[in-house]
Amino acid sequence: MKKILAFLLSACLITVSMAACSGSNSNDEADVSSDASTSSQESSDESSSGDESSKETASFTTVEEGKLIMATNATFPPYEYYDGDAVVGIDAEIAQKIAEKLGLELVISDMEFNSIITSVNQGKADMGMAGMTVTPDRLKNVNFTDTYAKGVQVVIVQENSDIKTLDDLAGKKIGVQLNTTGDIYATDEFGKDNVQQFNKATDTVLALKQGKVDAVIIDKAPAEVFVEQNEGLTLLDSSYADEDYAICIKKGNDALQDAVNQALSELIEDGTVQAIIDKYIPSK
């Protein structure tokens, strides 16, 4: 009789245990924000995009409960730019997919490029994503996720310019967007006096058209868009520098960085990231 009772008791415990397990992942995306006191995401109990591997990341904190705030500078097509009132582009779409995997609502905050890292560090944004390259100086202030795209720095000049090669840039006035890698590289190589900084990429191109600068150093993807949209401009044949793009996150927010990296890894592995890039930068 004791053996029968023990068997029945064991069976009941197994049934209860199975019921508890089967309900552990039943919450939908609305449950991500259930803990208002901590704004934490308990990934084992909450839904992301239905991907089990995304749910295994540690709990993390965001600036606003249930939201993922992305700081960007929306003057950098095709990575981020305005279509009507909406910010669209490669970074915007990848960020949206990351937010979906984390069960969060994406909020895009447009600002000057120079303010992105400050915004992340001051807790006004969860991450910065703006065709941003990992550099030693930036690593002193923020952490970066894994690379999600490759960037190439190129040079835009007027079609009738006497600048034909990279060597011809010496002694010329070069336009750059403030605090971009183009700014960093040009200032280091040609000196501050030969570099003119602008807050927006579009302003560098306007200055080139007006003859206020002799050349512009900028990422290849937006450079190709600007050349296509502005008659009389062209690109030098040689690239100025090669680099990697990543997402910046506040130092110490390791759990969020791990969660974003996990989501990013899945999106790269399943081809989503490449499909988004190909949508905006078709293979030639």
Side-chain angles (χ1 to χ4, degrees), residues 24-195:
S24 62
N25 289 322
S26 63
N27 294 340
D28 59 20
E29 291 183 0
D31 292 327
V32 173
S33 308
S34 59
D35 190 349
S37 62
T38 62
S39 297
S40 296
Q41 321 302 317
E42 295 295 338
S43 56
S44 62
D45 293 328
E46 295 158 351
S47 171
S48 54
S49 64
D51 222 318
E52 290 299 326
S53 54
S54 293
K55 298 175 185 177
E56 295 173 359
T57 55
S59 61
F60 57 85
T61 300
T62 55
V63 172
E64 286 189 43
E65 181 183 352
K67 297 181 180 180
L68 183 67
I69 302 177
M70 163 190 160
T72 194
N73 176 239
T75 64
F76 197 65
Y79 283 89
E80 39 269 315
Y81 61 98
Y82 276 96
D83 182 5
D85 294 330
V87 176
V88 299
I90 294 172
D91 286 345
E93 289 203 24
I94 293 175
Q96 178 60 45
K97 294 298 184 181
I98 290 172
E100 289 173 4
K101 278 191 171 289
L102 300 183
L104 300 172
E105 174 192 352
L106 178 66
V107 176
I108 298 178
S109 180
D110 184 21
M111 61 188 67
E112 301 292 349
F113 185 87
N114 194 40
S115 300
I116 293 174
I117 288 178
T118 301
S119 180
V120 170
N121 279 335
Q122 290 180 346
K124 296 177 180 178
D126 297 300
M127 64 184 198
M129 199 171 181
M132 188 175 289
T133 307
V134 182
T135 67
D137 283 343
R138 289 172 183 167
L139 282 170
K140 293 176 184 177
N141 298 298
V142 288
N143 288 336
F144 281 91
T145 64
D146 298 332
T147 298
Y148 66 90
K150 298 285 185 180
V152 178
Q153 292 287 316
V154 297
V155 180
I156 308 176
V157 295
Q158 293 194 32
E159 288 181 344
N160 60 356
S161 173
D162 60 353
I163 300 174
K164 304 300 181 184
T165 69
L166 297 178
D167 292 336
D168 297 332
L169 290 171
K172 301 295 185 180
K173 180 66 72 174
I174 300 169
V176 296
Q177 186 177 9
L178 180 64
N179 277 358
T180 61
T181 46
D183 180 10
I184 295 168
Y185 298 152
T187 301
D188 286 346
E189 183 172 0
F190 304 110
K192 189 174 182 179
D193 291 342
N194 292 319
V195 175

